[in-house]
Amino acid sequence: MFTGIIYCKGKIKKIITTGKGKNIEIYSEKEITNIHNGMSIAINGVCLTVASFSGLRKFTADISKETIEKTTFKNIKHSQNINIELPLTIDKFLSGHLVLGHIDTIGEVVSFYVEKGNTLLEIKFPQKFFKYVVEKGSIAVDGVSLTAFDIKNNTFKVAIIPETMKQTIISEYKKTTQVNLEFDIIGKYVAKIFNKDVPE
């Protein structure tokens, strides 16, 4: 489990296609002091498992075919920058919101602009997920905990503060950039209780 507060950025150093999907090698900008095999780690919002590591900055992870199909990992590239988040522990503050690392769908950047000194990002998503996007509610975009507003049938906006721009790959976004979206787990549980469809 995660919180949507990115630990640091990293870079894809190697991609190996396997019979079960892909194996990726990642270099972290910061040391991960407690890294170990089997550790959960979120890459662009996707929960992966550390398969091996070398030192405190380099590690590998496997990506299944299903995960590749349902996330932006289908377009993963060598030297691509990525968001890295370490798993939530009991002694941490829950500064963002509860994020599982299970991507619901892929969104697309519609616009990215500055208005009255505020940096705003507008994202398009499949209309069938509309019920899970709540005004002033939480949403994870490439693993980053953000607050949705100005929600339309298939778009929403988020405001990006300078610290988020600095610490994440959001600064690299442009029109048509594809992003991983995970909707708030609490909202999905409520929908399940009331027998509404939930993302598969």
Side-chain angles (χ1 to χ4, degrees):
M1 184 173 288
F2 307 90
T3 67
I5 304 300
I6 301 304
Y7 176 67
C8 69
K9 289 185 284 188
K11 189 179 291 289
I12 302 295
K13 287 295 188 179
K14 187 183 297 183
I15 304 171
I16 300 174
T17 300
T18 68
K20 297 181 180 180
K22 295 182 184 295
N23 176 274
I24 57 174
E25 182 180 276
I26 294 170
Y27 182 81
S28 171
E29 289 186 353
K30 293 183 181 179
E31 291 187 348
I32 305 174
T33 56
N34 60 343
I35 192 169
H36 57 272
N37 290 347
M39 171 183 174
S40 292
I41 195 162
I43 305 300
N44 284 359
V46 182
C47 181
L48 299 178
T49 301
V50 173
S52 66
F53 65 96
S54 176
L56 301 179
R57 292 178 184 261
K58 187 185 295 184
F59 62 93
T60 68
D62 295 313
I63 311 175
S64 69
K65 289 182 179 179
E66 180 180 5
T67 298
I68 292 170
E69 181 62 29
K70 291 188 175 182
T71 71
T72 58
F73 283 151
K74 66 180 65 177
N75 299 316
I76 196 169
K77 297 178 181 178
H78 182 269
S79 296
Q80 175 182 330
N81 292 323
I82 45 93
N83 292 326
I84 297 174
E85 184 183 356
L86 308 184
L88 175 66
T89 58
I90 294 175
D91 61 336
K92 285 184 180 178
F93 289 110
L94 183 56
S95 298
H97 72 283
L98 293 177
V99 178
L100 301 186
H102 302 157
I103 302 305
D104 293 310
T105 190
I106 295 174
E108 182 179 299
V109 174
V110 175
S111 59
F112 197 14
Y113 59 99
V114 176
E115 181 179 87
K116 297 180 180 179
N118 298 311
T119 301
L120 303 179
L121 176 64
E122 184 176 14
I123 295 174
K124 177 172 65 175
F125 64 98
Q127 203 276 335
K128 68 177 182 178
F129 295 103
F130 176 75
K131 64 174 74 69
Y132 306 113
V133 186
V134 180
E135 190 75 20
K136 301 298 176 65
S138 297
I139 190 166
V141 178
D142 275 343
V144 182
S145 177
L146 297 170
T147 302
F149 69 96
D150 195 14
I151 301 164
K152 309 296 185 184
N153 283 335
N154 69 333
T155 65
F156 64 88
K157 294 179 182 178
V158 290
I160 310 299
I161 62 173
E163 182 67 12
T164 300
M165 287 283 285
K166 178 182 177 182
Q167 298 294 338
T168 75
I169 62 170
I170 289 178
S171 60
E172 302 176 15
Y173 288 177
K174 57 185 178 181
K175 188 174 181 179
T176 73
T177 295
Q178 292 192 324
V179 296
N180 292 320
L181 298 179
E182 181 184 334
F183 304 110
D184 186 17
I185 184 61
I186 296 175
K188 288 186 283 187
Y189 275 129
V190 170
K192 181 75 171 181
I193 291 170
F194 287 96
N195 297 316
K196 301 294 184 181
D197 292 335
V198 294
E200 296 181 355

